[in-house]
Amino acid sequence: MSDACVRPRPESPLGRGAGPVLALASGPELGRLTFLGLVGIIDPPRAGVKEAVQVLSDLMPM
């Protein structure tokens, strides 16, 4: 396996910071799972999210 498969490059969205990660496992029951790997998810926020968060922040008392 190459390093590119193991570690994201710094210029990629996964290499720039924390993001959602999904852990994968398989097994016959919860106590006997085998770790399969991690999958990083690139899911940018929808348009308008920044503005919506700002509006809600302005409404919240500090």
Side-chain angles (χ1 to χ4, degrees):
M1 189 179 313
S2 72
D3 282 344
C5 294
V6 176
R7 285 175 268 158
R9 291 174 275 167
E11 65 273 9
S12 77
L14 290 175
R16 283 190 292 239
V21 177
L22 180 64
L24 304 173
S26 178
E29 57 189 55
L30 190 57
R32 298 176 55 201
L33 296 176
T34 300
F35 175 74
L36 299 175
L38 298 172
V39 177
I41 302 168
I42 301 172
D43 188 16
R46 293 181 184 182
V49 169
K50 183 176 180 180
E51 293 79 10
V53 170
Q54 185 62 52
V55 167
L56 293 174
S57 295
D58 293 344
L59 294 174
M60 302 275 301
M62 297 258 193

